[in-house]
Amino acid sequence: MLADAFSQFGQLNDAVIITDKGKNRSKGYGYVVFSTEEEAQKALADMNGKLLDGRVIFVDNVRPSRRYNTDAPLARQPA
């Protein structure tokens, strides 16, 4: 369903709906990856706020996760 709705904007590399494994139902969000930035931006502009399977969807760019200082030691050794 997600891939079908977004494939009209270009070539998809991936489309996945995130599910709750215990309840085997959607958590209410998913990810779509396009081949090019231009395709992704067109999908974002055209699909944001539209109805999909009876629900209004909100489309946004993925925000990078918080990065931690990878140079810092993870644990200290005894003195």
Side-chain angles (χ1 to χ4, degrees):
M1 165 185 45
L2 194 61
D4 292 338
F6 281 87
S7 64
Q8 63 182 317
F9 300 102
Q11 183 178 346
L12 296 179
N13 290 345
D14 196 15
V16 62
I17 296 173
I18 306 304
T19 57
D20 182 322
K21 295 196 187 332
K23 297 179 182 176
N24 198 27
R25 51 181 279 196
S26 170
K27 287 189 170 186
Y29 67 97
Y31 296 97
V32 179
V33 180
F34 284 92
S35 294
T36 68
E37 181 68 25
E38 293 79 23
E39 294 167 343
Q41 290 303 318
K42 177 141 180 57
L44 189 150
D46 289 357
M47 291 296 287
N48 192 33
K50 297 288 167 82
L51 279 177
L52 181 61
D53 197 31
R55 294 182 174 188
V56 175
I57 63 169
F58 299 95
V59 182
D60 201 356
N61 289 316
V62 172
R63 294 178 190 98
S65 61
R66 186 175 6 183
R67 303 223 45 139
Y68 295 97
N69 181 357
T70 56
D71 294 334
L74 296 176
R76 294 185 181 176
Q77 296 178 350

